[in-house]
Amino acid sequence: QVQLVESGGGSVQAGGSMRISCAASGPTRTSVAMGWFRQAPGKEREFVASFHWSARRQTYAESVKGRFTISRDNGRIAVILQMDSLKVDDSAVYYCAIKYNSQWAYWGQGTQVTVSS
């Protein structure tokens, strides 16, 4: 069984930075990508960023482009999301996910990111 463990999160002032990480364990060798989604109270879950292994392609939601950076953690099946210039609207529970066969198949428990003004 694939397990995703998220770390980081917490509270930060608007304009500040935060880094969250996600590491996968189990049968992950056939995964094609990892990514981050988020969900704020009263809103739908939305895509944030992803990293495609073979293409080394980074993809971002328009709302975070230029402020967030996703990277692979060394050669591991793990990703880091560096969040800069944080806004109050970035406050959400951030969920890590791993992709197999064009599907986001497994999800982490989520980590809370709170941005205060």
Side-chain angles (χ1 to χ4, degrees):
Q1 184 71 39
V2 172
Q3 302 287 332
L4 301 178
V5 179
E6 297 149 335
S7 60
S11 298
V12 68
Q13 293 259 113
S17 298
M18 186 176 293
R19 188 183 73 171
I20 54 177
S21 302
C22 179
S25 62
T28 60
R29 291 183 179 183
T30 58
S31 65
V32 298
M34 286 184 69
W36 292 95
F37 295 73
R38 68 186 183 187
Q39 187 167 24
K43 294 186 177 181
E44 298 293 318
R45 182 176 57 188
E46 65 175 350
F47 170 80
V48 176
S50 65
F51 192 103
H52 189 281
W53 307 137
S54 64
R56 294 179 173 86
R57 182 176 66 248
Q58 300 153 50
T59 304
Y60 300 94
E62 192 66 30
S63 60
V64 307
K65 193 173 297 181
R67 299 187 298 117
F68 290 13
T69 304
I70 189 168
S71 60
R72 186 175 187 176
D73 187 359
N74 302 121
R76 303 165 64 206
I77 307 301
V79 288
I80 297 166
L81 186 67
Q82 177 67 41
M83 301 179 286
D84 297 320
S85 301
L86 282 161
K87 304 174 180 179
V88 172
D89 286 349
D90 294 319
S91 296
V93 177
Y94 283 69
Y95 296 93
C96 176
I98 189 165
K99 195 173 189 178
Y100 296 83
N101 303 121
S102 74
Q103 294 189 86
W104 295 103
Y106 298 94
W107 300 81
Q109 292 190 108
T111 186
Q112 178 71 49
V113 173
T114 301
V115 184
S116 60
S117 61

